[in-house]
């Protein structure tokens, strides 16, 4: 099935994801379709809520060139095989702090500086139902935290400072208006 990415203003984006119990073909198909939608929109991650689904599922694919330390060229997360399908993910540890620019497929053309943990450990099941744990740093850690936010109904706008919200108020208003007319 081909999915469109929902944009800001759609109620589905505020829904909290429900746990996944069935690890059958339907879940694997949804994960594949979400990856296709993410790639079509040139994203690094996508949560089920962003395609109007309520499963606790997100997909992530950070290309090696974006995972490299700019000074040394070494990968921050060489252990992370991409793409990653995370089912029922939960943050189990975090450390440090990083602030950097984030975008979101549900907020096209809008970017904001967001403070996140510099390193996270996330426990999840893969699409086959196998338990996994991943320790991630740098951009991958940021993407994981962003997608986990989506699964809780937390959006990029919720992480913006008041000044950032004022700066993009017109764009946010347009997205809400477009979402209202679309759905």
């Amino acid at each position: 099935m081909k999915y469109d990415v929902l944009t800001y203003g759609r109620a589905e984006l505020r829904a909290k994801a429900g746990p996944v119990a069935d690890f059958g073909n339907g879940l694997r198909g949804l994960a594949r379709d979400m990856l296709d939608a993410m790639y079509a929109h040139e994203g690094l991650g996508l949560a089920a809520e962003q395609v109007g689904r309520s499963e606790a599922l997100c997909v992530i694919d950070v290309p090696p060139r974006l995972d490299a330390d700019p000074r040394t060229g070494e990968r921050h997360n060489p252990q992370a095989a991409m793409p990653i399908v995370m089912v029922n993910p939960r943050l189990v540890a975090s450390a440090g702090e990083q602030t950097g620019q984030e975008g979101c497929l549900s907020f096209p053309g809008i970017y904001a500086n967001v403070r996140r943990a510099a390193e996270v450990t996330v426990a999840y099941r893969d699409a086959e139902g196998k338990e996994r744990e991943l320790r991630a740093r740098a951009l991958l850690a940021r993407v994981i935290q962003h997608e986990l936010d989506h699964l809780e109904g937390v959006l990029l706008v919720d992480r913006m400072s008041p000044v950032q919200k004022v700066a993009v108020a017109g764009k946010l208003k347009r997205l809400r208006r477009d979402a209202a007319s679309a759905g």
Side-chain angles (χ1 to χ4, degrees), residues 72-100:
T72 66
E74 290 183 28
R75 296 259 321 264
H76 291 289
N77 301 284
Q79 80 290 358
M82 299 292 164
I84 303 169
V85 175
M86 291 187 175
V87 183
N88 301 331
R90 66 186 196 291
L91 197 63
V92 295
S94 62
E97 187 178 289
Q98 60 171 312
T99 299

Side-chain angles (χ1 to χ4, degrees), residues 124-141:
Y124 63 97
R125 292 185 180 267
D126 64 19
E128 305 299 322
K130 184 177 178 186
E131 290 188 26
R132 303 260 184 204
E133 190 170 278
L134 175 64
R135 187 172 165 196
R137 302 179 316 141
L139 179 60
L140 180 56

Side-chain angles (χ1 to χ4, degrees), residues 29-45:
L30 174 58
R32 278 191 307 274
D33 292 343
M34 287 174 56
L35 283 165
D36 289 344
M38 181 187 75
Y39 294 139
H41 288 87
E42 299 180 4
L44 301 179

Side-chain angles (χ1 to χ4, degrees), residues 5-63:
V5 175
L6 304 180
T7 56
Y8 180 63
R10 293 291 299 264
E12 297 94 323
L13 294 173
R14 289 293 185 182
K16 188 171 180 179
V20 173
D22 182 359
F23 288 82
N25 289 334
L27 178 72
R28 287 186 288 281
L30 174 58
R32 278 191 307 274
D33 292 343
M34 287 174 56
L35 283 165
D36 289 344
M38 181 187 75
Y39 294 139
H41 288 87
E42 299 180 4
L44 301 179
L46 187 69
E49 282 74 8
Q50 292 179 274
V51 294
R53 300 290 297 257
S54 61
E55 292 90 340
L57 166 66
C58 61
V59 295
I60 296 170
D61 193 348
V62 176

Side-chain angles (χ1 to χ4, degrees), residues 8 14 107 149 153-161 165:
Y8 180 63
R14 289 293 185 182
F107 291 81
D149 272 359
V154 176
L155 304 178
L156 180 63
V157 69
D158 302 326
R159 298 287 184 191
M160 291 179 183
S161 71
K165 287 180 189 176

